[in-house]
Amino acid sequence: MAEEKKYSGYGYHGGGRKAKGGEPRTCTMSIVCTRSEKEKIKQDANEYNLSVSEYCTKKLLDKL
């Protein structure tokens, strides 16, 4: 009989990294801006030591 394969890591459904915190981040949102606006957003996020996603979310929710 063939030996059953033991999967680990990302090799099967549900095998990825588990979400941390209370609510997993599973949705996306897109914005349209100019290249210069995009660079300004990236610079501002860097000043706060945040990812662009974290920066935009906090800024839009008035938490910065």
Side-chain angles (χ1 to χ4, degrees):
M1 275 180 103
E3 188 175 318
E4 185 178 326
K5 187 172 182 181
K6 302 289 183 188
Y7 290 101
S8 64
Y10 297 102
Y12 65 102
H13 179 71
R17 184 181 301 176
K18 303 298 180 214
K20 341 181 233 188
E23 183 178 6
R25 296 181 179 265
T26 58
C27 63
T28 60
M29 180 182 291
S30 297
I31 60 169
V32 177
C33 60
T34 64
R35 291 182 193 271
S36 60
E37 290 170 334
K38 180 181 176 181
E39 286 306 312
K40 176 72 170 116
I41 291 168
K42 288 171 75 173
Q43 290 173 0
D44 290 352
N46 192 40
E47 287 179 20
Y48 283 97
N49 293 319
L50 296 171
S51 69
V52 171
S53 178
E54 290 172 314
Y55 173 77
C56 290
T57 301
K58 289 181 181 197
K59 190 74 170 175
L60 290 168
L61 294 174
D62 294 326
K63 294 186 177 185
L64 285 179

